[in-house]
Short mmCIF file of all heavy atoms in Angstrom, two decimals:
data_model
loop_
_atom_site.label_atom_id
_atom_site.label_comp_id
_atom_site.label_asym_id
_atom_site.label_seq_id
_atom_site.Cartn_x
_atom_site.Cartn_y
_atom_site.Cartn_z
N GLN H 22 145.64 -92.25 18.93
CA GLN H 22 144.26 -91.84 18.74
C GLN H 22 143.50 -91.43 19.96
O GLN H 22 142.44 -90.76 19.92
CB GLN H 22 143.47 -93.02 18.05
CG GLN H 22 144.02 -93.26 16.72
CD GLN H 22 143.17 -94.40 15.92
OE1 GLN H 22 143.70 -95.59 16.14
NE2 GLN H 22 142.28 -94.07 15.16
N HIS H 118 151.13 -99.46 16.47
CA HIS H 118 149.91 -99.03 15.82
C HIS H 118 149.96 -97.77 15.07
O HIS H 118 149.61 -96.75 15.56
CB HIS H 118 148.84 -99.08 16.93
CG HIS H 118 147.36 -99.05 16.32
ND1 HIS H 118 146.42 -100.02 16.77
CD2 HIS H 118 146.75 -98.30 15.28
CE1 HIS H 118 145.24 -99.80 15.98
NE2 HIS H 118 145.40 -98.79 15.30
N PHE H 119 150.56 -97.82 13.99
CA PHE H 119 150.77 -96.75 12.93
C PHE H 119 151.76 -95.75 13.35
O PHE H 119 152.36 -95.12 12.43
CB PHE H 119 149.37 -96.04 12.60
CG PHE H 119 148.36 -96.95 11.86
CD1 PHE H 119 147.00 -96.49 11.83
CD2 PHE H 119 148.73 -98.22 11.44
CE1 PHE H 119 146.05 -97.35 11.07
CE2 PHE H 119 147.76 -98.92 10.73
CZ PHE H 119 146.51 -98.63 10.54
N ASN H 162 150.01 -103.52 14.27
CA ASN H 162 148.73 -103.46 13.77
C ASN H 162 148.69 -103.25 12.34
O ASN H 162 149.37 -102.22 11.78
CB ASN H 162 147.94 -102.26 14.50
CG ASN H 162 146.46 -102.07 14.00
OD1 ASN H 162 145.64 -102.85 14.35
ND2 ASN H 162 146.38 -100.98 13.30
N GLU H 163 147.87 -103.94 11.55
CA GLU H 163 147.63 -103.76 10.11
C GLU H 163 148.75 -103.26 9.25
O GLU H 163 148.92 -102.23 8.69
CB GLU H 163 146.50 -102.77 10.00
CG GLU H 163 145.28 -103.07 10.62
CD GLU H 163 144.00 -102.08 10.38
OE1 GLU H 163 144.34 -100.99 9.96
OE2 GLU H 163 143.02 -102.62 10.57
N ASN H 219 144.26 -106.22 8.70
CA ASN H 219 143.12 -105.67 8.20
C ASN H 219 142.66 -106.55 7.09
O ASN H 219 143.29 -106.62 5.90
CB ASN H 219 143.36 -104.26 7.72
CG ASN H 219 142.07 -103.60 7.30
OD1 ASN H 219 141.43 -104.10 6.26
ND2 ASN H 219 141.60 -102.53 7.96
N ASN H 279 141.08 -107.70 11.85
CA ASN H 279 140.30 -106.43 11.71
C ASN H 279 139.45 -106.39 10.61
O ASN H 279 139.84 -106.50 9.53
CB ASN H 279 141.11 -105.16 11.70
CG ASN H 279 142.18 -105.01 12.91
OD1 ASN H 279 142.06 -105.82 13.84
ND2 ASN H 279 143.03 -104.05 12.78
N TYR H 281 136.11 -104.66 8.61
CA TYR H 281 135.19 -103.59 8.57
C TYR H 281 134.16 -103.71 7.39
O TYR H 281 133.03 -103.45 7.51
CB TYR H 281 135.90 -102.24 8.37
CG TYR H 281 136.57 -101.95 9.69
CD1 TYR H 281 137.87 -102.24 9.98
CD2 TYR H 281 135.87 -101.12 10.68
CE1 TYR H 281 138.54 -101.81 11.19
CE2 TYR H 281 136.50 -100.76 11.90
CZ TYR H 281 137.82 -101.14 12.10
OH TYR H 281 138.50 -100.80 13.34
N GLU H 339 139.50 -106.02 15.72
CA GLU H 339 138.71 -104.76 15.62
C GLU H 339 137.49 -105.12 14.68
O GLU H 339 137.63 -105.90 13.78
CB GLU H 339 139.59 -103.68 14.73
CG GLU H 339 140.56 -103.00 15.54
CD GLU H 339 141.43 -101.98 14.80
OE1 GLU H 339 140.87 -101.36 13.80
OE2 GLU H 339 142.60 -101.77 15.08
N TRP H 377 135.81 -101.54 17.72
CA TRP H 377 136.47 -100.35 17.46
C TRP H 377 135.36 -99.26 17.47
O TRP H 377 134.60 -99.34 16.49
CB TRP H 377 137.17 -100.31 16.12
CG TRP H 377 137.96 -98.98 16.05
CD1 TRP H 377 137.55 -97.82 15.63
CD2 TRP H 377 139.36 -98.73 16.60
NE1 TRP H 377 138.43 -96.84 15.81
CE2 TRP H 377 139.63 -97.49 16.24
CE3 TRP H 377 140.34 -99.49 17.14
CZ2 TRP H 377 140.87 -96.78 16.68
CZ3 TRP H 377 141.50 -98.95 17.43
CH2 TRP H 377 141.70 -97.66 17.32
N GLU H 384 140.72 -90.07 13.96
CA GLU H 384 140.77 -91.03 12.92
C GLU H 384 141.75 -90.65 11.80
O GLU H 384 141.34 -90.56 10.67
CB GLU H 384 139.41 -91.27 12.30
CG GLU H 384 138.57 -92.36 13.16
CD GLU H 384 139.25 -93.72 13.08
OE1 GLU H 384 139.96 -94.10 12.10
OE2 GLU H 384 139.02 -94.44 14.04
N TRP H 385 143.01 -90.58 12.20
CA TRP H 385 144.15 -90.37 11.21
C TRP H 385 143.87 -89.37 10.22
O TRP H 385 143.45 -88.25 10.53
CB TRP H 385 144.39 -91.79 10.56
CG TRP H 385 144.48 -92.92 11.49
CD1 TRP H 385 143.61 -94.00 11.79
CD2 TRP H 385 145.47 -93.06 12.42
NE1 TRP H 385 144.15 -94.70 12.80
CE2 TRP H 385 145.24 -94.22 13.37
CE3 TRP H 385 146.71 -92.41 12.88
CZ2 TRP H 385 146.10 -94.60 14.34
CZ3 TRP H 385 147.53 -92.70 13.97
CH2 TRP H 385 147.24 -93.99 14.67
N ARG H 387 141.62 -88.80 8.38
CA ARG H 387 140.12 -88.39 8.33
C ARG H 387 139.74 -87.46 9.63
O ARG H 387 138.66 -87.09 9.85
CB ARG H 387 139.14 -89.52 8.34
CG ARG H 387 139.21 -90.20 6.95
CD ARG H 387 139.90 -91.53 6.90
NE ARG H 387 139.52 -92.43 8.06
CZ ARG H 387 140.24 -93.45 8.48
NH1 ARG H 387 141.48 -93.57 8.03
NH2 ARG H 387 139.88 -94.23 9.48
N PHE H 393 133.73 -93.32 15.76
CA PHE H 393 133.57 -94.71 15.89
C PHE H 393 133.31 -95.21 17.27
O PHE H 393 133.25 -96.40 17.49
CB PHE H 393 134.90 -95.46 15.53
CG PHE H 393 135.16 -95.70 13.98
CD1 PHE H 393 135.67 -94.66 13.12
CD2 PHE H 393 134.72 -96.82 13.40
CE1 PHE H 393 135.80 -94.92 11.82
CE2 PHE H 393 134.96 -97.10 12.01
CZ PHE H 393 135.42 -96.12 11.28
C1 LIG X 501 141.70 -99.42 11.39
C2 LIG X 501 142.74 -98.84 12.42
C3 LIG X 501 142.24 -98.16 13.58
C4 LIG X 501 140.99 -97.26 13.25
C5 LIG X 501 139.95 -98.12 12.47
C6 LIG X 501 138.66 -97.35 12.10
O1 LIG X 501 142.26 -99.72 10.16
O2 LIG X 501 143.48 -99.98 12.87
O3 LIG X 501 143.22 -97.44 14.13
O4 LIG X 501 141.38 -96.21 12.54
O5 LIG X 501 140.53 -98.63 11.28
#
Side-chain angles (χ1 to χ4, degrees):
Q22 294 178 275
H118 195 127
F119 294 171
N162 179 70
E163 299 186 345
N219 184 297
N279 295 355
Y281 288 92
E339 284 178 32
W377 187 275
E384 272 302 330
W385 309 114
R387 285 104 53 204
F393 276 91

